[in-house]
Amino acid sequence: MKYPKYHYKTEKLMQHYEFISEGPKGLIKKVVEYTKTGTENVYNLGFGDYDDQTNSINDLSVTNNGDSLKVLATVASTVYAFTEKYPKAWVLATGSTSVRTRLYRMGITNNLAEISEDFYIYGLDDNGIWVKFVIGEDYEAFLITRKDNK
């Protein structure tokens, strides 16, 4: 995505990423985590504000820090980094709410040409079937993998 991004830090396995959102609400720590699912090579993308009290990701918080495009671009950049380290990985992403899932769909739609250069993108339709991502369709989740995933 050709938008400004925050610098993030990660660990050796490149499954945990942290960055700081900067805006009118202050400095807010964001976390992106890739966790294994029950399916081989499929990882769930978890994202949200870091909650110091619970030492976990709060994927329901609404920050409204005025930097949503920059935050989304940063999350997308972690997908590139993660799949560079794990080229056979499939990344599963869905919003914690229908509004967030729609936001992800809009982000994919607005950047589809660029994303499609490197990734295959699928959407989970309302029949529970994975189909090739099509602009204008609603999906319950998204699944992406690198095109050089062989």
Side-chain angles (χ1 to χ4, degrees), residues 30-137:
K30 304 279 189 177
V31 175
V32 181
E33 285 187 334
Y34 294 88
T35 55
K36 290 181 180 181
T37 66
T39 304
E40 185 177 356
N41 289 330
V42 177
Y43 293 80
N44 183 67
L45 185 159
F47 166 69
D49 291 357
Y50 182 76
D51 187 328
D52 287 320
Q53 294 179 341
T54 63
N55 195 28
S56 64
I57 297 174
N58 179 348
D59 62 358
L60 294 172
S61 63
V62 178
T63 306
N64 288 332
N65 215 10
D67 61 348
S68 60
L69 281 178
K70 192 171 184 177
V71 167
L72 192 58
T74 305
V75 173
S77 73
T78 72
V79 175
Y80 279 87
F82 177 78
T83 58
E84 186 172 313
K85 172 100 173 151
Y86 302 95
K88 294 186 184 292
W90 290 76
V91 176
L92 174 66
T94 187
S96 53
T97 66
S98 60
V99 171
R100 289 188 181 186
T101 300
R102 182 176 172 272
L103 177 66
Y104 293 164
R105 179 177 53 83
M106 290 171 27
I108 293 168
T109 295
N110 292 337
N111 298 281
L112 187 60
E114 181 183 348
I115 296 168
S116 294
E117 291 176 13
D118 300 310
F119 294 97
Y120 294 111
I121 307 134
Y122 301 92
L124 184 65
D125 70 15
D126 56 4
N127 294 316
I129 299 171
W130 289 105
V131 296
K132 183 178 176 185
F133 183 91
V134 175
I135 291 175
E137 296 294 322

Side-chain angles (χ1 to χ4, degrees), residues 7-49:
H7 293 285
Y8 57 75
K9 60 182 180 175
T10 187
E11 34 64 75
K12 185 177 177 181
L13 293 176
M14 297 186 77
Q15 294 179 358
H16 180 92
Y17 300 79
E18 298 178 1
F19 62 95
I20 303 296
S21 163
E22 301 176 27
K25 305 284 184 174
L27 302 178
I28 299 168
K29 184 176 179 180
K30 304 279 189 177
V31 175
V32 181
E33 285 187 334
Y34 294 88
T35 55
K36 290 181 180 181
T37 66
T39 304
E40 185 177 356
N41 289 330
V42 177
Y43 293 80
N44 183 67
L45 185 159
F47 166 69
D49 291 357

